[in-house]
Amino acid sequence: MNNFSSSLRLEERENDKGNSGFIVNLCPTGMIPVRAQVPAVPITPKEIGLDVGRCYDAGAAMVHLHAREDDESPTWRGERFEEIITEVLLRAPEIIVCVTSSGRNWSDLPRRTEALSIPDPHKPELASLTLGSMNFPKSASVNAPDTIIGLIDAMQAANIVPELEVFDVGMANYARSLAKAGRLKPPYYFNILLGSLGTADFNATNIAAIVGSLPEGSTWALAGIGRYQLSANVTSLTLGGHVRVGLEDNPYFDWRTREPATNPRLVERLVRLGRELGREPVTPRIAREIIGIRQKEEVISAC
């Protein structure tokens, strides 16, 4: 794309918000994909930074980060997260950074909150918070109520917004209860993830039940696990929601042929489909407005 076209697209993204604009939340790595099965998954901080940079140029406004050691094993180490965030911001300086606090590999709070202590200018703006326990096909993610409260408290102490992860309607109900009790405070940004064995299927009934159970004023994105990713993303675009996309959730560009995916190709296809539906991917600045989080310059001036 030439500079004139790139500038025009940026202007369109800045001006297109509200119901017409949509947030692309990239989940590039996760904890599970390895190169033997997913050749394009980025592992090192530089690889992740380069991949996120390409997706940022294609339309991603937010990135949901997991950290890996060089041998591809998941890690909770704050130093590794900071290395990744440094590489990401070199190539996507305005992108919204979210770090994981997943309990899939470890359950204790010290490790799950390690990345929350990263100092400015690499401090994350959001951190994931799964609102209940659940089974994956081969393992469980245990999120006891006291652990959830501990994560909320740690995020609030660090002025980090929870990225609320919902896998079934019970988790949405729990979020509404926490909000009513004042434990969860706005802004509310939800990822609704459907299609994983052991959690809610991807279907219209579950989407309606979950979205209808969210706290008032919530911003929500829809994600599909595996073969459901594209269908879930397009459904969200048609319903006025936002999207989560990337190799963490889905290894294939085409499930019929098992054609491997790359993060940039997944984002590019989603942006094209969004535009065909009359919706424009928003910039990080507009995404912050939609969610209700402070702009970067406001955070810097407050420090």
Side-chain angles (χ1 to χ4, degrees), residues 36-270:
Q37 286 81 40
V38 187
V41 65
I43 300 297
T44 69
K46 186 173 182 179
E47 289 169 351
I48 295 171
L50 288 168
D51 218 36
V52 173
R54 296 184 188 104
C55 294
Y56 172 73
D57 291 341
M62 181 189 303
V63 61
H64 170 103
L65 293 174
H66 289 256
R68 303 286 193 92
E69 302 292 1
D70 288 345
D71 65 0
E72 302 189 59
S73 62
T75 182
W76 49 268
R77 293 191 304 111
E79 296 93 337
R80 188 66 165 185
F81 273 99
E82 188 167 6
E83 291 172 10
I84 294 168
I85 295 170
T86 300
E87 294 288 345
V88 165
L89 294 179
L90 278 174
R91 297 162 179 87
E94 296 301 319
I95 202 165
I96 300 169
V97 173
C98 173
V99 295
T100 186
S101 71
S102 172
R104 189 165 186 168
N105 290 74
W106 37 80
S107 59
D108 58 292
L109 279 173
R111 285 187 289 184
R112 293 179 68 169
T113 58
E114 173 84 11
L116 305 183
S117 61
I118 295 171
D120 291 324
H122 301 125
K123 180 181 175 181
E125 295 172 74
L126 285 85
S128 69
L129 177 63
T130 304
L131 290 160
S133 300
M134 61 188 170
N135 287 332
F136 290 109
K138 296 182 179 180
S139 64
S141 176
V142 179
N143 298 284
D146 60 342
T147 301
I148 293 171
I149 296 300
L151 289 168
I152 291 172
D153 290 344
M155 291 176 196
Q156 290 177 349
N159 292 315
I160 291 172
V161 175
E163 182 198 49
L164 300 160
E165 295 194 340
V166 167
F167 288 78
D168 61 38
V169 71
M171 294 186 189
N173 292 336
Y174 187 48
R176 194 175 67 251
S177 174
L178 289 170
K180 185 177 180 180
R183 297 310 303 261
L184 268 182
K185 302 180 187 301
Y188 309 123
Y189 176 79
F190 285 88
N191 275 324
I192 302 167
L193 300 102
L194 301 176
S196 179
L197 183 64
T199 61
D201 289 339
F202 168 69
N203 60 49
T205 301
N206 286 332
I207 295 169
I210 292 171
V211 172
S213 298
L214 298 179
E216 185 177 353
S218 297
T219 302
W220 57 272
L222 193 59
I225 305 301
R227 67 178 69 251
Y228 302 110
Q229 183 177 80
L230 181 58
S231 297
N233 288 164
V234 173
T235 299
S236 191
L237 290 172
T238 62
L239 294 176
H242 306 280
V243 295
R244 163 173 154 148
V245 68
L247 292 176
E248 174 177 352
D249 297 339
N250 168 41
Y252 298 123
F253 191 77
D254 186 329
W255 269 81
R256 292 170 302 173
T257 64
R258 297 297 195 268
E259 177 185 355
T262 69
N263 285 311
R265 285 190 73 199
L266 290 171
V267 172
E268 288 163 1
R269 175 172 65 183
L270 193 53

